[in-house]
Amino acid sequence: MMADPLTLAIPSKGRLKEQVDAHFAAAGVALKQTAGARGYRATVEGLPGIDVMLLSASEIASALVGGDVHLGVTGEDLIRENAPELDGRVALLKPLGFGFADVVVAVPRAWIDVSTMADLDDACAAFAHRHRRRLRIATKYAQLTRRFFAHAGISDYRIVGSAGATEGAPTAGTAEAIVDITTTGSTLKANGLKVLDDGVILRSQAQLAMSITADWTEAMRGSAGVLLKRLGATLPA
Amino acid sequence: MSAFPTYGPDDIAALDEQAAAMLAVFAGRGYTRHEPAILQPAQIFIDRSGEEIRRRTFELSDPSGRELCLRPDLTIPTCQWQVESGRPYPARLCYHGLAFRHRLGGGPTQFYQAGAELLGLEDRATGDVEMMTVAVGALRAAGLEKFEMKIGDLGLFATLVDALDVPAQWRGRLKRHFWRSGYFETLLTRMVTGAASDAERAIDALHGLKPAELRPAIEALLDKEGDAPLGMRTREEIVERLMVQASDGTAPKLDAKVAETVKQVLDVSGPAPTALEQIRTLTKAVAASMEKPLAAMEARLAALAGLGVDPKSVRFVAHFGRNLEYYTGFVFEFWSRDESGPVEIAGGGRYDTLLESLGGPRGATAIGCAIRSERLLAAARRGK
C-alpha cells in the first residue's frame, strides 16, 4: 500500500489561479490533472507522493489552519482571518509577489470630520449615544476587524457580515463603514468611500504556507522539501 | 473543570441547596424571581455589550435567518423584561440560571449565575448599600465566610476628567478608554505631544472663522462631497462634531502635569481608606468636584463595616471598571482563592444607562450583582 501523500492546496479559479500556475511553471513545477477529477485534483510531474487539491482561496485558508492540508497557496488576509496571529497553526513560508491587497478600514468620504481611527472612535461613540444603536461595520473579516478595532480602543460598533460587494454597504444603507480589501482604491472611491489614514489593517499578498497542525510524516517532509526547494522556500525545522 | 460538564447527583443537590439559600436571601429583601429565555435574540446583546462580549457569545441563526444567541448574561434580558412589562419602578428582580460564554483559554462554556437587579431606585447611595447587603448576604447564606472584596467607581474618574481643562471630545475619549490599560497611556501621551490632531484638513479650513461663520463653512465643505453616502450617520452629526473641534482650536495639547496626575490617580490601588486618601491628595487642585464621589465611596465603606466587612480589607482599585461595557459607576467584585490563585466569585455594579437604552424611563438607575454558582460552591467547600 502506498503511503499517505503530501497534500498541496492551490486556488481553483480566477486571477489568483492563473498567477499561481504561472509561478509554478516558472519554477519548473508542472501540474498534471488527475483523470476523472474534473479539474479538482492534480499531481506534480516528476514528484510522486504529492496530491494537489484545487480549492477556493478561502477554503485553502481554513484547511491550512485546520490541518486538513499540508501546504497551500492563498492570500495572507484569508489565513489571518482564520488564525490572526497564526497561533502556531500555520507558518508562512514565502510571499509570492502577487495577489497584493490591503485590508483597510474605509468610511464615507462625506465624513469630512473623520480621517483617523481616533476620529472613528469619537464618531462611533457619538453615533451610539444619538441613535441608541451601534455604528455598523460591514465586513467578511470579522476576526481581523475585532482585533484591529480593539487595538485602536474602539468598542462602540457592531460587525455585520458581508458575503460580497461590501463596498456598497454604506450606499445600500446596511452599514455605516466597511473593512474590506483594496488594491488600487478605485472601487472604494467609486462607492464614495475613503481609507482612514491609519486604517490599513494588513498589507496582504499570496503566500506559500504550511499547516503546522496537519499530520506530518518523515516521507511527507521529504516530498515537501523537494517541492519547496524548487519554489525557493524551505521547510522550517 | 471540563468545557462540557456533567453534573452528578451530589453536585446537583449541592447547587440546588446553594441556589435555594441565595434566592431566599433575595426574596427576603423583596426580590421576585424571573427566568428569561436561554435562547435570546442576538441583537440586544450586540447593541448593549459590544464586540468584545460578542466574540465570547454563542451565536446561531434559526431557519428564517434570525440571529439568536445563548444568553451570555441574564442582566440584559431581565432589564428588558422590566422595561417591556411596563411594571412600576423601583423594581427588585432576581434570577438563577445558566449563562454561556466562549472560554478563549478553555474552561466551562456554561455556568450557573444567581443574580439580583435593583432597577429605578432614585437614591443611588441607598441602592448601593442595598445591593452590597444582598450580595454579601447571599454569599454568606451559601456558606462562604472568607472572601476578598475589590471596589472601584467609574463615576469618580469621570468626575476627575470633567474637572480637567481639556477639549470636550478628549474628555469623552478619556472616559471611554480609562479601563483599557496600555491603550489609555498611549492616548494620554498623544494628547500631551499634540499628535492627536484629527481630520486636520477640515479643521484647518475652518480655523479662525467666527462662530456665526462656522456652520455655513462646514455645510459648504460637505456639499463639495456631493451625494456621497453617509450611512445612518446624519449630516448634522458631522456638522456638530466639526463645530466642537473648530471651537476647541487646532491641535490642542494636554498639560503634561495634568496627564501625570491622571496616570497617578489611575495607579492608586490598595486598602480602601488609604487609597481614597491618596486620591484626595492627588486631586487637591480640583477638590471641590472630587469631594462628592469620594464622600460617596466613604459612605459605602461605612456600610460595609456595618455588614461586618472591614474597610481596610477591601481593596480599592482606581482603574477597576470591568470589561462589561454597560457599567457606569460603583463596581465591586468578590474573590476567593484556590490552589491555582484568585478566583472571581461574584461581581456587580451600577449601570445607570442600560434601562434607558432599552427604552425605559429617562435616567432610570440600575445596580445589580451576579454570583457564579459553581465557583461559589467550590469556594464554600474549601472553606469547610
Side-chain angles (χ1 to χ4, degrees), chain B residues 24-41:
Chain B
V25 170
F26 297 155
R29 289 261 163 186
Y31 287 73
T32 52
R33 186 175 177 185
H34 286 78
E35 182 73 23
I38 285 175
L39 199 55
Q40 291 277 338

Side-chain angles (χ1 to χ4, degrees), chain A residues 51-225:
Chain A
D51 192 1
V52 182
M53 304 163 75
L54 286 87
L55 302 172
S56 79
S58 58
E59 283 170 342
I60 295 171
S62 55
L64 283 166
V65 172
D68 300 323
V69 298
H70 295 97
L71 299 171
V73 176
T74 190
E76 184 175 346
D77 57 329
L78 299 172
I79 295 175
R80 289 198 185 268
E81 173 61 15
N82 279 274
E85 289 299 301
L86 305 179
D87 306 334
R89 293 148 88 185
V90 177
L92 303 181
L93 303 180
K94 189 176 195 259
L96 296 178
F98 54 82
F100 289 103
D102 293 343
V103 181
V104 300
V105 184
V107 305
R109 206 172 58 229
W111 292 8
I112 54 174
D113 60 325
V114 177
S115 60
T116 64
M117 289 298 283
D119 288 329
L120 181 59
D121 173 31
D122 283 344
C124 284
F127 186 92
H129 186 72
R130 178 184 288 239
H131 298 276
R132 304 256 180 97
R133 55 193 281 191
R134 284 163 193 263
L135 190 139
R136 296 162 301 171
I137 309 284
T139 188
K140 60 171 179 161
Y141 297 97
Q143 302 293 342
L144 288 174
T145 302
R146 281 185 192 136
R147 289 179 68 89
F148 191 71
F149 276 50
H151 189 69
I154 302 183
S155 58
D156 283 327
Y157 71 103
R158 69 164 293 203
I159 289 171
V160 287
S162 163
T166 307
E167 68 280 355
T171 308
T174 53
E176 278 63 59
I178 68 166
V179 167
D180 202 10
I181 47 167
T182 176
T183 45
T184 61
S186 57
T187 312
L188 294 178
K189 216 173 195 170
N191 281 279
L193 303 176
K194 63 178 177 184
V195 177
L196 295 182
D197 295 348
D198 52 355
V200 178
I201 298 180
L202 175 69
R203 294 194 191 281
S204 174
Q205 61 175 298
Q207 288 274 355
L208 176 57
M210 166 201 178
S211 173
I212 297 169
T213 51
D215 290 328
W216 284 87
T217 63
E218 270 315 302
M220 288 168 183
R221 292 187 67 88
S223 302

Side-chain angles (χ1 to χ4, degrees), chain A residues 125 128-129 132-134 156, chain B residues 44 47-49 75-76 79-80 83 89 118-120 124 154 158 175 324-330 349-368:
Chain A
H129 186 72
R132 304 256 180 97
R133 55 193 281 191
R134 284 163 193 263
D156 283 327
Chain B
I44 57 162
D47 281 346
R48 301 296 160 336
S49 306
T75 296
I76 290 176
C79 288
Q80 195 187 31
V83 167
Y89 295 86
L118 172 52
L119 309 178
R124 290 184 175 83
L154 288 86
K175 281 191 232 172
L324 280 173
E325 292 155 33
Y326 50 71
Y327 282 99
T328 56
F330 174 53
R350 189 160 276 294
Y351 47 97
D352 285 340
T353 54
L354 183 65
L355 285 167
E356 192 179 332
S357 86
L358 288 167
R362 204 176 160 73
T365 66
I367 185 166

